[in-house]
Amino acid sequence: TAGITQAPTSQILAAGRSMTLRCTQDMRHNAMYWYRQDLGLGLRLIHYSNTAGTTGKGEVPDGYSVSRANTDDFPLTLASAVPSQTSVYFCASSEGDRGSDTQYFGPGTRLTVL
Amino acid sequence: GQNIDQPTEMTATEGAIVQINCTYQTSGFNGLFWYQQHAGEAPTFLSYNVLDGLEEKGRFSSFLSRSKGYSYLLLKELQMKDSASYLCAVREGDYKLSFGAGTTVTVRA
């Protein structure tokens, strides 16, 4: 099974340009998440969605937006990229129940903003 | 918010045991997770603790003390493939996780 896919794998982007990182899961999970991972800082939550049609802000939401039109897709948009958004971006999903609710991660997108 | 602390790096010999500690401060604890992340790859789930005590899964075990805000991940019979970063993550309230910065474990022959 595919699990979670992300596209693109990597991207170099000029500052000021916009970009959408794509994330799709085929596990019918209710909850989805976007994280960025920077050296020495660990994974930080950008935005999340508990269920289709709802989204929420995480720890570092500024400069990013998300939408959740359906269960499977959770795109992350950078409206006007800045060099500080250079990072590795991981999408994750979970069933969204209140038990162990394990999060499963996609392979990541490595973004460089110049 | 969360304050999650774990050592930055640890080195151990193949076949040995390594214990990675994680301390946290939270107002509404709702579970602690350990993930493994190899360089250049995605994190993968290792263990989950919500009650005090030890959870054992083969060569890996995880311990939790909620009153002390403390967990550890124990890796036994270390293998070269265990060289990776190990991430401690705490859930407070609903589904969201807060992650520590990770501990890089290097296994040497």
Side-chain angles (χ1 to χ4, degrees), chain A residues 1-20:
Chain A
T1 58
I4 302 180
T5 58
Q6 293 184 236
T9 302
S10 65
Q11 182 74 43
I12 299 175
L13 187 66
R17 299 296 295 268
S18 67
M19 174 159 190
T20 295

Side-chain angles (χ1 to χ4, degrees), chain B residues 38-63:
Chain B
H38 286 99
E41 297 183 8
T44 56
F45 170 75
L46 284 180
S47 69
Y48 167 72
N49 295 71
V50 67
L51 300 177
D52 291 351
L54 189 68
E55 294 282 341
E56 297 188 83
K57 274 188 178 182
R59 295 189 298 114
F60 293 1
S61 303
S62 58
F63 172 83

Side-chain angles (χ1 to χ4, degrees), chain A residues 13 25 71:
Chain A
L13 187 66
Q25 53 104 358
T71 298

Side-chain angles (χ1 to χ4, degrees), chain A residues 26 30 45-46 49 63-64 67 72 85 95-97 100-101 108-109:
Chain A
D26 64 2
N30 288 316
L45 184 66
I46 304 170
S49 169
Y64 306 95
S67 61
D72 299 343
Q85 292 178 309
E95 291 184 0
D97 60 38
S100 64
D101 198 46
T109 294

Side-chain angles (χ1 to χ4, degrees), chain A residues 36-114:
Chain A
R36 58 178 290 172
Q37 187 173 39
D38 303 288
L39 194 64
L41 294 177
L43 286 159
R44 292 181 293 169
L45 184 66
I46 304 170
H47 285 288
Y48 66 95
S49 169
N50 288 338
T51 189
T54 68
T55 62
K57 294 182 179 180
E59 180 184 354
V60 288
D62 294 343
Y64 306 95
S65 63
V66 293
S67 61
R68 186 90 184 276
N70 57 60
T71 298
D72 299 343
D73 301 300
F74 191 43
L76 176 74
T77 297
L78 289 68
S80 179
V82 295
S84 62
Q85 292 178 309
T86 294
S87 187
V88 180
Y89 291 86
F90 286 102
C91 179
S93 72
S94 69
E95 291 184 0
D97 60 38
R98 292 186 180 271
S100 64
D101 198 46
T102 302
Q103 290 188 18
Y104 298 91
F105 286 80
T109 294
R110 185 174 297 273
L111 179 67
T112 303
V113 182
L114 300 177

